[in-house]
Amino acid sequence: MPAIPVIIDTDPGQDDAFAILLALAAPELEVLGLTTVAGNMGLPQTTDNARRIVELAGHGTLPVHAGCARPLMRAPRPVPEIHGETGIDGWDWAEAADGPAPGHGVDFIIETVLAHPEPVTMILLGPQTNFAMALRRAPEIAANIARVVFMGGGYFEGGNMTPAAEYNILVDPEAARITLGSGIPITAVPLDCTHACAAPVGWSQMLAAHPQPVMQACSGMMEFFERYGNAKHGTASRPLHDAVAVAALIWPELFTGRLCPVDVECAGELTTGMTVVDWLRQTGKPDNCLWLAGCTGPAEVYARMETALARLGR
């Protein structure tokens, strides 16, 4: 079966790093390039992080294009308290050998999608600003996008930044609303799904048993990432949210969900950034999103992920 052509839009973030590495290791995917956005960290840092990640994976020729430096209508909202000062703390990263590719990330999305002979799948791992801008500037790209897979939102699990809102949606709810209103087939990988797919306890030590630098970096990042999350949630391990989104694209048989209407609250006094999921189809609105709500085999997800990641750097 031919590999799925994908563009990854990202704001690394340790879990973004795992997602990027998994996508590069997966024979099921053909990564056409990365675009970066302000999110977990400011745009210069997320772009530098993306370069370091692809170079560590041995894919240094893969283009990384810097995109939007702020959300459509709101101020940036970096979270170094979660991801550390670099966003990918936990490993002594080498400096990136190259800077970003020339040209804006939004232009790269538009030009690549329009020129590609097959429909492209978009993997959105951060605030959806770049993709929303691309849709606004060139709505014709929708005809050559096979699917959007995004990590974001929560229904059964609520939010992780406010009681109602998950981080990626909260940072740019207007952008997420544009994505959900695009008419493109969409798969959402929300907290409902990722919280059902936590890593095995002690997984960082399992990764550390592999000698490859990629695996050593992954071990260190996982240990750092879990420290904040476990303290906040009172858990023994955490899910790699963005990596779960890539896993759901590669291994859909391990995930469960429902096609239903989904929208985003952009002006609520208490609920800005809330993903409003019509799970019971009560509004009469058309279905626009496959909302993943569970994982049937979290241990299998991380076992497959470990096997894939171990291929990098060999």
Side-chain angles (χ1 to χ4, degrees):
M1 189 173 180
I4 301 168
V6 302
I7 295 172
I8 300 174
D9 188 67
T10 181
D11 62 334
Q14 287 93 354
D15 55 332
D16 300 73
F18 274 89
I20 294 164
L21 292 169
L22 176 59
L24 293 175
E28 296 90 344
L29 303 182
E30 177 195 2
V31 181
L32 305 176
L34 277 65
T35 54
T36 57
V37 67
N40 289 320
M41 307 300 292
L43 183 67
Q45 188 69 59
T46 62
T47 305
D48 185 58
N49 289 351
R51 282 298 325 162
R52 294 183 191 214
I53 293 161
V54 298
E55 289 177 13
L56 177 66
H59 289 257
T61 60
L62 190 70
V64 173
H65 293 264
C68 295
R70 57 180 297 121
L72 295 179
M73 299 174 62
R74 300 170 189 265
R77 192 166 178 158
V79 282
E81 67 274 16
I82 298 175
H83 296 283
E85 290 303 314
T86 67
I88 50 175
D89 281 16
W91 168 252
D92 186 14
W93 290 87
E95 294 293 325
D98 294 310
H104 196 281
V106 172
D107 294 328
F108 174 77
I109 292 171
I110 293 170
E111 292 164 7
T112 303
V113 169
L114 291 179
H116 203 272
E118 303 168 35
V120 174
T121 293
M122 296 294 307
I123 301 175
L124 310 181
L125 303 178
Q128 297 172 27
T129 317
N130 287 334
F131 187 59
M133 285 291 291
L135 286 170
R136 282 294 174 90
R137 284 184 43 199
E140 64 271 22
I141 66 174
N144 203 39
I145 295 176
R147 177 165 293 275
V148 171
V149 178
F150 75 76
M151 189 279 131
Y155 174 56
F156 300 101
E157 290 287 315
N160 61 358
M161 294 300 290
T162 75
E166 177 275 332
Y167 177 81
N168 286 339
I169 307 299
L170 178 65
V171 171
D172 201 339
E174 288 81 12
R177 174 171 272 188
I178 290 170
T179 299
L180 285 161
S182 66
I184 299 167
I186 294 171
T187 298
V189 185
L191 298 177
D192 307 336
C193 178
T194 64
H195 283 181
C197 193
V201 175
W203 196 55
S204 61
Q205 284 74 43
M206 300 180 202
L207 299 177
H210 298 267
Q212 301 96 314
V214 167
M215 301 302 277
Q216 297 299 306
C218 285
S219 174
M221 285 192 294
M222 187 68 188
E223 188 173 326
F224 186 96
F225 183 69
E226 285 193 308
R227 196 174 303 140
Y228 173 91
N230 285 341
K232 178 177 179 177
H233 294 274
T235 51
S237 71
R238 298 302 301 154
L240 286 165
H241 305 284
D242 293 331
V244 172
V246 173
L249 174 60
I250 301 170
W251 308 307
E253 70 278 6
L254 297 177
F255 296 87
T256 60
R258 180 181 295 183
L259 191 64
C260 58
V262 180
D263 204 342
V264 176
E265 177 59 71
C266 295
E269 180 183 354
L270 301 175
T271 57
T272 295
M274 178 181 180
T275 40
V276 182
V277 180
D278 188 6
W279 187 255
L280 299 179
R281 295 194 177 99
Q282 300 175 93
T283 62
K285 293 182 178 180
D287 297 336
N288 65 337
C289 182
L290 175 59
W291 188 265
L292 299 186
C295 176
T296 60
E300 180 67 17
V301 168
Y302 286 92
R304 293 187 189 186
M305 196 184 305
E306 182 177 348
T307 298
L309 293 172
R311 290 196 290 263
L312 293 172
R314 281 184 174 174

